[in-house]
Amino acid sequence: MSELISGKAIGTSINDELRKEVEQLKSNGIEPCLAVVLVGKDPASEVYVRNKKRTCTEIGIHSIGHDLPASTTQEDLENLIQSLNDDSEVHGILCQFPLPKGLDETRIIQAISPDKDVDGLHPLNAGLIAMGQPKFISCTPFGVLQMLKRSGISTSGKNTVVLGRSNLVGRPIATLLSSKGWDATVTVCHSRTANLSQVTSQADILVAAIGIAEFVKAEMVKPGAVVIDVGINRIDDPSKKSGSRMVGDVAFKEVEEKVSYITPVPGGVGPMTIAMLMANTINAARWLNGMPEMNL
Ligand code: NAD
């Protein structure tokens, strides 16, 4: 039987630490402020943005919402980003993706000042991760690192396999875990990887971030492995009122019997992501005021 790594519990205790940190900053005249830009009316994005703003309020971070119509032009959006870059009261800028058709996300990522890039997606911040000198780390990879650290799981010298190579999740996780301090031996797998099960079954630590419901089966994991499930997938379930339920990229029931640690879905990596957005916003406020980053 495995031990559950609860992102809900770890995220809550990080949020408690962050609340104290914000109080401290406020007593020094600094109020961390996050600008949240939402374009259009995508229902999932509206829920994400609402949750992010609510957590800001809970922690004491000032959030400013900019809700724009789907008809917004690239130029209008870039002008808004530029005005937020120039606003000294704003420390972090988040533009919720996906953007409506016709808007160029890559250009928006590059328009956000790297000093206010709390999503950690700007090429400069991705480059710093690649150089082993991370500044802003994108929120989900940052959350995965905190889960490992706070569960006392050593990554040094561990054979680690990351499933997925996206810029948002798989690639930064793999780069960070192989960097100094984390010192894992990392293999990145993707949709063209040959003999995938053979590779995954060698992993002491397996991170799944591919977006395919319950893809990782028991026979693909090493006995005693640590399994981090980043996936969020909705599958049909007629027994639920909504007719569906959320599952990860790992077949949880069969895999949990075989491994030492596993993250659940929901309640695993998901709740960590917003906590790390809050941490990035506070760090942005600290850095912009000449202070070092927080100890987390
Ligand atoms: P993505 O679609 O951008 O990337 C998926 C990656 O998986 C690609 O690199 C692809 O090569 C790889 N892949 C696809 N099929 C594969 C296969 N059969 N075998 C091996 N590799 C395969 O997705 P993403 O943005 O990286 O997200 C991955 C998952 O994580 C999704 O379920 C997403 O919803 C979830 N996610 C969760 C959070 C969170 O807060 N928990 C945040 C972001 C993403």
Side-chain angles (χ1 to χ4, degrees):
M1 202 60 173
S2 58
E3 196 169 316
L4 214 59
I5 305 177
S6 167
K8 212 170 161 197
I10 298 172
T12 300
S13 80
I14 290 177
N15 284 344
D16 289 342
E17 292 168 33
L18 299 181
R19 199 173 298 115
K20 289 184 193 132
E21 176 62 30
V22 171
E23 269 170 32
Q24 187 71 34
L25 284 172
K26 282 183 176 168
S27 70
N28 288 318
I30 300 166
E31 183 181 35
C33 172
L34 176 67
V36 183
V37 180
L38 174 65
V39 188
K41 295 221 163 285
D42 176 64
S45 293
E46 285 182 324
V47 172
Y48 289 137
V49 162
R50 205 177 313 131
N51 290 343
K52 287 169 186 177
K53 287 184 187 162
R54 195 186 52 219
T55 312
C56 279
T57 306
E58 282 166 13
I59 287 174
I61 292 174
H62 180 47
S63 73
I64 303 174
H66 290 272
D67 295 348
L68 308 178
S71 57
T72 301
T73 64
Q74 184 79 26
E75 195 188 357
D76 287 344
L77 185 53
E78 287 183 25
N79 285 342
L80 170 64
I81 300 287
Q82 193 51 51
S83 72
L84 296 171
N85 285 341
D86 294 340
D87 185 343
S88 61
E89 302 283 305
V90 171
H91 303 110
I93 303 168
L94 178 146
C95 185
Q96 186 67 43
F97 291 158
L99 291 173
K101 267 206 174 77
L103 294 175
D104 183 337
E105 291 183 355
T106 306
R107 274 174 55 193
I108 297 305
I109 288 170
Q110 294 181 6
I112 292 174
S113 162
D115 293 329
K116 299 189 177 186
D117 174 34
V118 286
D119 255 342
L121 297 175
H122 191 283
L124 190 110
N125 286 312
L128 287 172
I129 290 177
M131 291 171 73
Q133 299 162 13
K135 189 177 170 187
F136 285 110
I137 301 176
S138 40
C139 304
T140 303
F142 196 3
V144 169
L145 295 183
Q146 285 290 319
M147 289 177 107
L148 291 167
K149 183 177 167 189
R150 289 172 182 247
S151 304
I153 294 163
S154 163
T155 52
S156 179
K158 296 283 168 61
N159 201 4
T160 299
V161 172
V162 179
L163 279 179
R165 58 178 169 183
S166 71
N167 288 336
L168 186 64
V169 191
R171 194 174 299 282
I173 290 177
T175 309
L176 287 156
L177 287 176
S178 65
S179 67
K180 223 176 173 43
W182 296 94
D183 302 320
T185 304
V186 179
T187 305
V188 181
C189 294
H190 44 78
S191 50
R192 308 301 286 259
T193 299
N195 304 321
L196 188 74
S197 293
Q198 217 171 304
V199 182
T200 56
S201 57
Q202 304 294 314
D204 302 313
I205 300 172
L206 179 63
V207 181
I210 57 175
I212 303 177
E214 300 178 321
F215 177 86
V216 176
K217 309 284 190 237
E219 72 261 18
M220 294 169 70
V221 298
K222 183 176 170 178
V226 173
V227 175
I228 308 290
D229 189 354
V230 182
I232 297 177
N233 312 287
R234 209 154 255 296
I235 59 167
D236 292 340
D237 184 346
S239 74
K240 300 277 177 213
K241 214 168 154 190
S242 63
S244 68
R245 74 189 150 93
M246 203 197 280
V247 297
D249 290 347
V250 176
F252 183 85
K253 270 199 182 135
E254 57 181 89
V255 171
E256 73 150 344
E257 313 241 310
K258 199 173 171 184
V259 299
S260 58
Y261 288 91
I262 187 165
T263 63
V265 177
V269 176
M272 295 296 295
T273 299
I274 294 187
M276 303 333 292
L277 172 67
M278 300 297 119
N280 276 344
T281 303
I282 294 168
N283 271 333
R286 290 179 63 96
W287 286 323
L288 287 165
N289 283 281
M291 298 163 79
E293 73 180 89
M294 269 180 306
N295 251 335
L296 275 180

